[in-house]
Amino acid sequence: MRSYLENPVKITLSITKSCNQACKLCYCDCSAEPSSEELSTAELLRLIDYLVENGFMQVYIEGGEPLHRPDMMDVLRYCGRKLMTLLRTNGNLIDGPRARELKAIGVGRVLVDLMGARPQTHDEHAGIAGSFARACGAVAALVEAGVPTDVLTILNRRNVDEMQALLELAHRIGAERVGILRLYPLGRAKRCWPEVALSLDEQMRAIRALDPPDGLGLMQSWHPRDHNCCWQSATVDAFGNSIGCVYLREYVNYGNIRATPFLDTWHKDPLYRRLRSGEVERSCPDCSASQGTDGGCRSTAYAFHGRWDAPDPFCSQTNDGVDLRVLPERLLEKSGKRPRSPVA
């Protein structure tokens, strides 16, 4: 039986397309300052009220860098009283007082990006000196303040040899879990893809070699844990577009919440409904059994095959010889305004 939700219970708000860093792999291709076209404070607070009124229980806030928005603490304070609130951040704007404030206003979990176990590796990814020390300091400060804290990283050629060391570092500074994420061909990442992408065999060897310290949780989505999360995914970007999942940001637009209530996009958009149905050409039986979903990630399936129901090439059982180090030419073509993906 495929997983199914009549209405979503959690949502991601990709709340700004601005950042205080210049990350080499930035999926948003962020600018240094927030755009005037982003949802305003008042619009965000109305959206939060709408979510509560319609039975949502959790909001996951990311960016860009959320704390780069001047109003972010006000938004988090409003969320923290109404919804289970999770925050993903680069950590560079969190010190001891800010960590204690996040605890006081009810932020339930913070996820901090660490792109390597060495300062040189992380700072090269972040595009700014000193980022590594500030990110590690943020994790330590959050843990001391009593905020449950995870570390996230994106597996790629520049940090693959540091994954075990990163687990040990995260454990040492107090993180509860480490999430090792796949590399997606989005934003700046696709422009440097040949330099950073690993083959699937290289990725699988890196994942299989990991030995998390006792007490540290490890989150990863390679075989046999390749999950098709579209059945439950709900995301609104910084400009109010309903995009299903942050990793679909360049491929879909189900409507803008300034004109269409979010749940109308969830229930009425044909492509959104199709992706949530979980209908795929072929699925890995191991991943289906462990995750309760079929087909794996729809973003990478569409990116490499150009079909919404294609198998996910990041699963070793459904890769079918796809070289993940080479992107299809259509992904590299320059485009202006993001087109709506066809339903068929």
Side-chain angles (χ1 to χ4, degrees):
M1 179 182 293
R2 293 192 179 100
S3 300
Y4 174 79
L5 278 177
E6 180 63 30
N7 286 330
V9 295
K10 58 184 180 179
I11 192 168
T12 295
L13 302 184
S14 185
I15 210 161
T16 185
K17 197 170 180 279
S18 69
C19 188
N20 57 320
Q21 298 194 147
C23 298
K24 300 293 192 296
L25 304 181
C26 179
Y27 296 151
C28 284
D29 204 358
C30 286
S31 59
E33 297 298 331
S35 166
S36 61
E37 297 180 3
E38 293 181 0
L39 294 174
S40 68
T41 307
E43 288 175 315
L44 285 170
L45 300 188
R46 284 198 297 271
L47 174 58
I48 292 162
D49 287 340
Y50 173 87
L51 298 175
V52 173
E53 290 165 4
N54 285 280
F56 285 75
M57 295 186 292
Q58 176 182 298
V59 60
Y60 179 96
I61 295 175
E62 62 165 42
E65 171 49 49
L67 294 172
H68 196 237
R69 272 188 67 130
D71 62 353
M72 195 62 244
M73 294 305 292
D74 293 332
V75 173
L76 287 171
R77 189 174 291 107
Y78 199 75
C79 281
R81 296 196 300 263
K82 297 171 178 285
L83 296 160
M84 174 61 181
T85 302
L86 285 67
L87 173 69
R88 181 177 180 180
T89 173
N90 61 41
N92 276 225
L93 299 174
I94 297 177
D95 55 11
R98 176 60 61 83
R100 290 190 290 275
E101 186 177 6
L102 290 169
K103 172 67 174 178
I105 64 179
V107 172
R109 182 172 295 272
V110 176
L111 302 94
V112 179
D113 287 286
L114 265 179
M115 294 301 295
R118 299 184 304 123
Q120 180 180 354
T121 305
H122 175 91
D123 288 358
E124 181 183 349
H125 276 94
I128 183 169
S131 175
F132 177 82
R134 289 187 289 272
C136 290
V139 174
L142 289 160
V143 171
E144 183 177 356
V147 180
T149 305
D150 299 333
V151 163
L152 299 180
T153 195
I154 299 172
L155 180 65
N156 67 87
R157 187 163 300 284
R158 294 171 179 168
N159 66 10
V160 61
D161 294 330
E162 299 178 26
M163 286 296 102
Q164 182 61 36
L166 181 61
L167 296 186
E168 293 164 3
L169 168 65
H171 182 61
R172 196 160 58 246
I173 59 180
E176 294 184 357
R177 303 179 298 183
V178 172
I180 300 181
L181 311 177
R182 64 177 64 176
L183 180 68
Y184 285 85
L186 299 167
R188 293 177 200 152
K190 66 184 176 185
R191 298 202 288 269
C192 62
W193 195 262
E195 290 78 46
V196 296
L198 296 163
S199 70
L200 182 57
D201 285 345
E202 289 171 316
Q203 295 174 49
M204 293 300 297
R205 282 198 298 272
I207 295 298
R208 288 168 178 158
L210 295 176
D211 183 17
D214 289 345
L216 181 74
L218 176 62
M219 302 177 287
Q220 57 93 355
S221 62
W222 283 265
H223 180 270
R225 300 177 182 175
D226 190 10
H227 183 59
N228 180 350
C229 65
C230 279
W231 69 276
Q232 63 176 340
S233 289
T235 299
V236 172
D237 72 14
F239 307 100
N241 297 310
S242 172
I243 57 172
C245 170
V246 291
Y247 300 124
L248 295 175
R249 67 176 82 230
E250 294 186 9
Y251 309 137
V252 305
N253 186 346
Y254 303 129
N256 192 284
I257 63 166
R258 285 170 167 148
T260 306
F262 174 79
L263 286 176
D264 282 2
T265 73
W266 170 275
H267 287 293
K268 296 179 181 179
D269 186 276
L271 179 57
Y272 204 173
R273 290 170 59 88
R274 175 181 171 185
L275 293 184
R276 296 203 319 278
S277 75
E279 295 178 2
V280 292
E281 296 174 359
R282 186 161 53 89
S283 187
C284 166
D286 299 330
C287 294
S288 293
S290 72
Q291 302 302 303
T293 64
D294 294 332
C297 177
R298 295 299 83 206
S299 174
T300 46
Y302 183 78
F304 282 90
H305 293 294
R307 304 189 310 279
W308 289 117
D309 55 359
D312 182 9
F314 274 77
C315 175
S316 57
Q317 304 304 301
T318 57
N319 173 266
D320 296 339
V322 173
D323 188 347
L324 298 178
R325 297 167 297 182
V326 181
L327 290 182
E329 282 297 321
R330 61 186 166 75
L331 292 185
L332 304 175
E333 294 173 358
K334 290 185 178 180
S335 60
K337 233 177 175 180
R338 182 179 63 208
R340 179 186 172 83
S341 298
V343 174

